[in-house]
Amino acid sequence: MSRSPDAKEDPVECPLCMEPLEIDDINFFPCTCGYQICRFCWHRIRTDENGLCPACRKPYPEDPAVYKPLSQEELQRIKNEKKQKQNERKQKISENRKHLASVRVVQKNLVFVVGLSQRLADPEVLKRPEYFGKFGKIHKVVINNSTSYAGSQGPSASAYVTYIRSEDALRAIQCVNNVVVDGRTLKASLGTTKYCSYFLKNMQCPKPDCMYLHELGDEAASFTKEEMQAGKHQEYEQKLLQELYKLNPNFLQLSTGSVDKNKNKVTPLQRYDTPIDKPSDSLSIGNGDNSQQIPNSDTPSPPPGFHPHQFIQSQCAVPF
């Protein structure tokens, strides 16, 4: 009736509380019928309930029918084996996650923009309603001043702008990408992130504000470095844009004013989510005096051979 400590089987559960049996309960059989429960449940039945075996309904004896406590050597051996199994399991998981080290996952609500001048390289500046705050509610902005993605344009900064909603990120990208500001051409796209090194090792990450992934990302949004070099992530971004356009063809339209709740008057602040009652004849793109005018229309209607990026850029007013 006793169990071997060397048995290679899944942990046995108490049929009453459904908790795994403790090591000391492995050879604990309180009734002569052989029905095994944990010592906690046995004590509860004898002291707080009717004292009968749940299986055969015989009264439990004062002492358990079979109870052979494990020796200290056996207990230590079982603990060592259990620890070894856990380490082997962690190592196997780590090996299965090794390939994820070179994988990047597109974040649908994250905008990565490069080519920013020092004038714009400030999180609080980019959050303003006249800049990236215009397109939706921003969760976080991170500036990187140590990069030089702009190449011949000279020193420039990059930024990661995290929106609450993914559609706001797509709106910002389509309105800002390829716009010239302060003599620099901005490039915007959906940002990517990688897996946390602790996650890859199946370890608990000690950083509470870690921005890397700690769970498996969407497979459709995951790309190897080779796939990204081939532009697969850009194809995924265009697919998201097309899907959003089908759901809401007017998602890029900006109104010419917002309502002041106290005075019930229209203020010059622009908003992204309200339809245009009286569209102006043109939209301004540019910075200060060097702006150019693009015709506007009530309802966008894509031409044959619709290309989302080219079409949508002509429909939104860039705030820079």
Side-chain angles (χ1 to χ4, degrees), residues 177-249:
N177 190 43
N178 286 327
V179 171
V180 178
V181 181
D182 296 339
R184 295 172 171 81
T185 301
L186 301 183
K187 294 291 184 179
S189 63
L190 286 179
T192 63
T193 189
K194 62 182 181 179
Y195 287 97
C196 175
S197 59
Y198 288 95
F199 172 76
L200 296 178
K201 298 175 184 177
N202 195 32
M203 299 171 61
Q204 183 71 29
C205 179
K207 303 176 182 178
D209 57 346
C210 181
M211 298 297 291
Y212 298 129
L213 295 177
H214 299 89
E215 59 183 16
L216 292 177
D218 183 0
E219 185 175 351
S222 302
F223 303 93
T224 63
K225 292 181 179 179
E226 292 75 18
E227 290 173 332
M228 293 188 65
Q229 290 174 355
K232 296 296 183 181
H233 64 300
Q234 296 173 339
E235 295 176 8
Y236 174 75
E237 180 179 312
Q238 290 300 311
K239 181 181 178 181
L240 293 178
L241 180 62
Q242 292 181 21
E243 292 174 351
L244 181 57
Y245 180 82
K246 289 178 181 178
L247 293 175
N248 181 14

